[in-house]
Amino acid sequence: MTGAIPSIALVGNPNAGKSSLFNALTGARQKIANYPGVTVERKAGHASFADGRPISLIDLPGSYSLTPASPDEAVTRDVIMGRQHGEQRPDALVVVLDAANLDNHLCFALELIALGLPTVVALNMLDLAERDGLTLDPARLSAELGVPVVPTVAVRRRGLTELLAALDEAMRTQVPRTDAAAAAPAADKSLHQRARAISRAATLAETPVRRWTQRVDAVVLHPVAGFAILLALMFVMFQAVYAWAGPPADALEGLVGTAQQWVVANLPENFLRDLVVEGLLAGVGAVVVFLPQILILFLFILLLEASGYMTRAAFLMDGLMAKVGLSGRGFIPLLSSFACAVPGIMATRAIPDAKDRLTTILIAPLMTCSARLPVYALIIAAFIPDRGVGGTSIGLQGLVLFGLYLAGIVGALAVAFALRRTVAKGDAAGFMMEMPRYQMPQWRDIAIGLWQRAWIFLRRAGTIIAMTTVILWLLLSFPKAPAGESQVEYSVAGRIASGLEVAVAPIGFNHDIALALIPAMAAREVAVSAMATANAIDAGDDEEAMAESLGERLQGKWSLATALAFLAWFVFAPQCISTIAITRRETNGWKWPMFMVGYLFLLAYAAAGITYWTAVAFGLG
């Protein structure tokens, strides 16, 4: 013993019920402060053995191993090793395990037991494990670990007397190793295997559901089979976007066309009619028709989230992200960025490492947000043949869409690799995650999620897209062109586009694209409405031209090389104004937003140029 009052440390994984056990043992006899030099909370208290002898208890921060990944875990490691300034090394350990998660929690427990300090294991939350159909054998677990194991339910104060008695006995009989600090094993693959083997040995019975979960996880979390399943799910998702969206998208397009005809037939020819037909209906309508594709995409995402698979996808991606210097904690923000980069960037607040967080913020815009989908859908439908690949039923259009999303992911990982070795230099921080149960999605929740996505999309169409389209229509309509000249090219917007066209012509972009790029900074979808508005003004009173879809009109004006370059541009194109603004707020300045916009412009220009020049070289120009 190192003092008159023995010091006992409560240690274990986060969410093992450690603090509940500490509260149950100490009651109100607690003192809370910070460890010297860090902002990690120190909780200490007192309890007593059955004969009245007092003991000092320390509730250490939750940790996953003795290899710290955060300041909290470093304090836990240093206190146990006797390295923490002003803190004596504990005389004994109470290792708290969540009975329902033995596989995960035993690994750290094995590291702690190997230190050679007198140790007792509290098998906590046993009632919840039994509720989930898990029957454990504490005696067998004790035999496997070589230390006493006491079942406890801390929140109900069950097992406390037995735990203190076992601790008293352990401190009398277990001889602490003098070289404890040097005895810590590495949390390597063999330790995980041993933890799983002990968990299996201590499990007397479990429900079929738990067994099936483990069997399914063995496949979907496999480093090879798991990735194959993840890629297959993404592939099916993008195939479905085109295979299922055709009829409803055609119906919406028909409604927009009918509305245009009705307005033309019932309103006199004047400024208001042109604004409604050429501006609002042509521009906003061209975006709204892609609502089915967006809903199908989110149907898959919501189903994967609700079933419990998405967390497993994060686990698979963690290893890949670590190779480029990112933490697995960045997966959820990046996943959120597939919907919109704004909430994705806000979600990076959960990443503790500043440089890790900065890198995640800077690459979030490379995730293909839903605003890009109307652009992809328009160009792919117009220029990529609607046929199978190599005589199979695999659709070429869906394959191209899959490739565009994949290009965004690969681009983000490559940029992260570069940033973590230059402006945001640092090592990847590991993290642990607990797998949720597999479960059947609740269709009511899925329906609510789809309605929310539809409402967000339609609200954008009715506000920012409509407003931008009206402004663009005004800029395209004035001044009026003399007879025989193109109204679009003569207008204010057309002249601005002509100036920009000089800069983008080398990468295959024409006047249409130059015209669409500037308003697309307000929102990506506006690129579609801008082209629709310009083409509607160009068509004028030509009913045959008005009857053509936007895709059909583009087919007659663009080469395949230009269309492919346009897609490549949008994979890397700088984000909308909202994303730039949220980046400024989250990084407390304009330095990093400007850096982000600059590197995205360079990437987009280079990707579009390489795509165009390659396509021309193969005779597609």
Side-chain angles (χ1 to χ4, degrees), residues 6 11 26 39 144 161 251 301 304 343 365 410 415 446 566 587:
V11 60
T26 61
T39 56
E144 294 286 343
T161 303
I301 292 174
L304 294 176
V410 172
V415 171
I446 300 296
F566 189 60
T587 58

Side-chain angles (χ1 to χ4, degrees), residues 129-437:
E130 291 172 348
R131 185 200 64 184
D132 291 343
L134 187 65
T135 305
L136 299 175
D137 183 353
R140 179 63 186 275
L141 183 60
S142 176
E144 294 286 343
L145 295 176
V147 298
V149 174
V150 180
T152 59
V153 181
V155 294
R156 300 182 188 282
R157 302 182 62 81
R158 293 178 188 166
L160 303 186
T161 303
E162 294 82 355
L163 179 66
L164 288 171
L167 185 60
D168 189 10
E169 178 67 17
M171 295 181 71
R172 293 175 191 274
T173 58
Q174 296 182 26
V175 180
R177 291 178 57 165
T178 55
D179 61 341
D188 56 13
K189 188 176 179 181
S190 63
L191 201 68
H192 286 280
Q193 290 173 341
R194 191 179 163 207
R196 283 195 291 271
I198 293 175
S199 176
R200 285 195 297 271
T203 302
L204 294 177
E206 58 184 336
T207 59
V209 172
R210 282 186 63 90
R211 285 198 297 273
W212 274 109
T213 296
Q214 292 171 353
R215 290 170 185 168
V216 173
D217 276 350
V219 178
V220 301
L221 298 180
H222 189 274
V224 177
F227 264 110
I229 291 171
L230 177 60
L231 288 175
L233 284 172
M234 290 180 63
F235 180 78
V236 170
M237 181 167 70
F238 294 122
Q239 289 289 317
V241 166
Y242 275 96
W244 299 354
D250 292 342
L252 281 174
E253 194 169 0
L255 279 176
V256 173
T258 302
Q260 286 178 304
Q261 291 171 5
W262 186 89
V263 173
V264 170
N266 291 278
L267 287 183
E269 185 175 350
N270 55 24
F271 172 86
L272 179 61
R273 193 186 79 169
D274 290 345
L275 171 63
V276 173
V277 174
E278 298 172 353
L280 291 174
L281 288 176
V284 179
V287 176
V288 170
V289 296
F290 295 106
L291 178 62
Q293 280 97 333
I294 289 174
L295 291 184
I296 291 170
L297 181 67
F298 278 98
L299 172 65
F300 275 88
I301 292 174
L302 290 169
L303 286 173
L304 294 176
E305 284 179 345
S307 66
Y309 177 78
M310 206 58 95
T311 305
R312 289 160 172 88
F315 177 84
L316 281 172
M317 292 298 295
D318 180 46
L320 184 59
M321 293 173 70
K323 286 184 173 58
V324 299
L326 286 174
S327 160
R329 293 179 195 274
F331 181 78
I332 298 301
L334 294 179
L335 186 67
S336 302
S337 298
F338 277 107
C340 177
V342 172
I345 290 172
M346 292 175 67
T348 61
R349 295 171 185 173
I351 301 174
D353 182 85
K355 291 185 177 177
D356 195 0
R357 180 175 181 237
L358 175 63
T359 306
T360 309
I361 289 173
L362 293 176
I363 66 168
L366 289 169
M367 299 295 108
T368 303
C369 65
S370 59
R372 286 179 171 111
L373 189 55
V375 179
Y376 288 168
L378 170 68
I379 303 302
I380 291 174
F383 291 93
I384 306 300
D386 183 14
R387 59 173 173 77
V389 179
T392 68
S393 59
I394 297 173
L396 180 60
Q397 292 182 334
L399 191 63
V400 171
L401 184 63
F402 174 67
L404 291 172
Y405 272 74
L406 205 58
I409 296 171
V410 172
L413 293 176
V415 171
F417 183 83
L419 293 177
R420 291 295 273 165
R421 282 152 184 81
T422 53
V423 297
K425 189 178 291 184
D427 296 325
F431 86 119
M432 297 283 287
M433 62 177 74
E434 293 184 1
M435 297 296 122
R437 299 176 192 167

Side-chain angles (χ1 to χ4, degrees), residues 34 57-58 97 110 126 139 146 208 314 327 330 353 388 390 469 550 566 589 614:
N34 277 354
L57 293 174
I58 308 172
L97 303 182
L110 288 170
L126 198 60
S327 160
D353 182 85
T469 303
L550 178 58
F566 189 60
T614 305

